[in-house]
Amino acid sequence: MRFTRTKALVAAAGLALSLAACGDAGEDSEGPDVDVAEDAGSEFDDGTRMKELADAGTIKVGVKFDQPGLGFKDAASDIPTGFDVEMAKVLVASLGIDPEDTSKVEYVETISDNREPFLEDGTVDIVLASYSITDERRAVVGQAGPYLVTGQQLLVAADSDIESVADVKGEEVCSVTGSTSLDNIEAEGAKPVGFDTYSECVEKVLDGTVSAMSTDGTILAGYAAQNEGELKVVGDQFSEERIGVGYSKDRPEMCQWIVDTITEAYDDGTYEEAFNATLGPSGVEVPELPEMDPCE
């Protein structure tokens, strides 16, 4: 993807993103020229974190590296791909920072268990890593959104007889440590098994160690697309996961910037293009932008 500079703000420029599809997660894609805000620091008030980042011209972004369609990075790629990543690029570009310039943007692998610690200690400035909004997390960090609402389902072997969450009662079902998914599946009567990464959990489903994997349906769709013919997503959604952007609780001013920037990306069609190119190939339809929570 190529980026050019302009004095117009990214959101007003009508971005068009060309992204990697789920089945090609990790591969670089060359999209159309996209405008990056120039002199963006002048758009933000003094003392705000946005102005600090814009003036510094650098930012650290926490994303997943092992979720096809949402946040995925292989050894051959410099920059991860996926819908979460593309929403992060929209935010980064609004600061006048080229999201494709890895000397200015550090994409930090952020697993479920270290999202809060990374924001608290400054390892990253923002987190877009299938980050479900919860009251418990908001007691520790800031969360803006949601920009996506999904629900928990099951990923099973293609030849599995499991059809719904009722079929995994008493069975071992895996997800990642530190996620809300483990609590939800335990509440449904399954035996939760935690792993550090989703890719580990997928391998355990593939080799038959566990009966199923459970997390947001959008995440599972990416893995099903990546392992076509071997895995399938089954069952109705049995939870509501409101996916948002994490930021430091010490920087509350970031909330409205995040909400406004993503809303503008939805209005100008960037959101739809990003979704179609990343999660669309798995058969998931583009959702409407959820009503975002008010910023305090």
Side-chain angles (χ1 to χ4, degrees), residues 217 237 244 254 259:
Q237 296 180 354
M254 297 183 80
V259 168

Side-chain angles (χ1 to χ4, degrees), residues 235-296:
D236 294 331
Q237 296 180 354
F238 57 91
S239 73
E240 181 180 81
E241 303 299 327
R242 304 168 67 247
I243 308 302
V245 181
Y247 58 93
S248 171
K249 200 172 180 66
D250 295 333
R251 296 294 194 169
E253 70 274 12
M254 297 183 80
C255 180
Q256 198 61 55
W257 160 66
I258 293 166
V259 168
D260 290 346
T261 303
I262 291 179
T263 299
E264 289 169 347
Y266 182 82
D267 291 341
D268 69 26
T270 302
Y271 181 103
E272 181 176 1
E273 287 196 49
F275 194 95
N276 276 331
T278 54
L279 292 169
S282 68
V284 181
E285 294 185 0
V286 180
E288 292 187 5
L289 183 68
E291 180 178 356
M292 297 207 218
D293 297 341
C295 296
E296 299 180 357

Side-chain angles (χ1 to χ4, degrees), residues 182-231:
L182 287 176
D183 294 334
N184 291 338
I185 198 64
E186 185 174 21
E188 296 291 337
K191 298 177 181 177
V193 180
F195 292 99
D196 287 338
T197 65
Y198 285 102
S199 55
E200 290 178 90
C201 191
V202 170
E203 287 302 318
K204 298 303 180 184
V205 177
L206 286 168
D207 68 20
T209 301
V210 298
S211 299
M213 169 180 172
S214 187
T215 189
D216 304 350
T218 50
I219 297 172
L220 301 180
Y223 284 116
Q226 189 182 52
N227 298 273
E228 187 176 359
E230 297 181 274
L231 297 173

